[in-house]
Amino acid sequence: MTTLVMWAVLFFGIFAYTKLPISDLPSVAYPTIVVKTQNPGSDANTMATTVAVPLEQQLMTIPGINSVVSQSNAGQTNIVLTFDLSEDIATALAEVAAAINQAEGNLPSDLPQPPQYQRYNPTDTPISWIACSSYSMNS
């Protein structure tokens, strides 16, 4: 009797295991927001000190942020905010908008437009880009 029960448990266990809906690579939408600011004619150091630092200081007050990555180039600053997976992206967007509005007093007055922000999903980025060219065919 014990042997038959063990075989039944093993059989139903293997059957149930094959029916589990487990994905090897689960689809996770990371709550990530990118803040972009442009100021043509400014060098990278000026963008970092006059634009990125005031924005970062204000954005760091938002609860639920995992990481802040900032990159300043000539005429442009990008700040990537990554939130906890439990954070609602709509709430995070509203908090980012409020933080940008509070930081506008510390930003340079000659910015052509206020900082722009948008939702960003890092998993949507393509893994590779492929380009093809031919000497015998026109494009």
Side-chain angles (χ1 to χ4, degrees):
M1 178 71 175
T2 305
T3 304
L4 289 175
V5 170
M6 290 305 296
W7 279 109
V9 168
L10 180 66
F11 173 75
F12 287 116
I14 291 172
F15 178 75
Y17 181 76
T18 61
K19 300 297 180 185
L20 285 175
I22 297 175
S23 175
D24 292 336
L25 296 171
S27 176
V28 177
Y30 295 99
T32 305
I33 298 174
V34 176
V35 179
K36 296 181 181 182
T37 308
Q38 295 183 352
N39 192 6
S42 297
D43 63 349
N45 191 28
T46 304
M47 290 297 292
T49 57
T50 62
V51 176
V53 171
L55 280 174
E56 287 174 0
Q57 288 174 346
Q58 198 62 44
L59 292 169
M60 291 297 292
T61 62
I62 299 173
I65 291 181
N66 274 347
S67 68
V68 176
V69 178
S70 177
Q71 180 183 14
S72 294
N73 298 324
Q76 183 175 355
T77 294
N78 294 327
I79 301 172
V80 180
L81 306 167
T82 305
F83 292 85
D84 293 329
L85 287 175
S86 61
E87 290 292 321
D88 180 38
I89 192 67
T91 305
L93 281 168
E95 291 174 348
V96 167
I100 290 173
N101 287 337
Q102 290 178 350
E104 281 185 354
N106 298 331
L107 296 176
S109 59
D110 62 343
L111 288 177
Q113 60 185 1
Q116 304 295 314
Y117 60 94
Q118 66 183 21
R119 180 180 179 188
Y120 172 71
N121 189 358
T123 59
D124 289 344
T125 306
I127 296 172
S128 65
W129 293 89
I130 299 174
C132 299
S133 63
S134 172
Y135 293 110
S136 62
M137 294 184 71
N138 295 336
S139 36

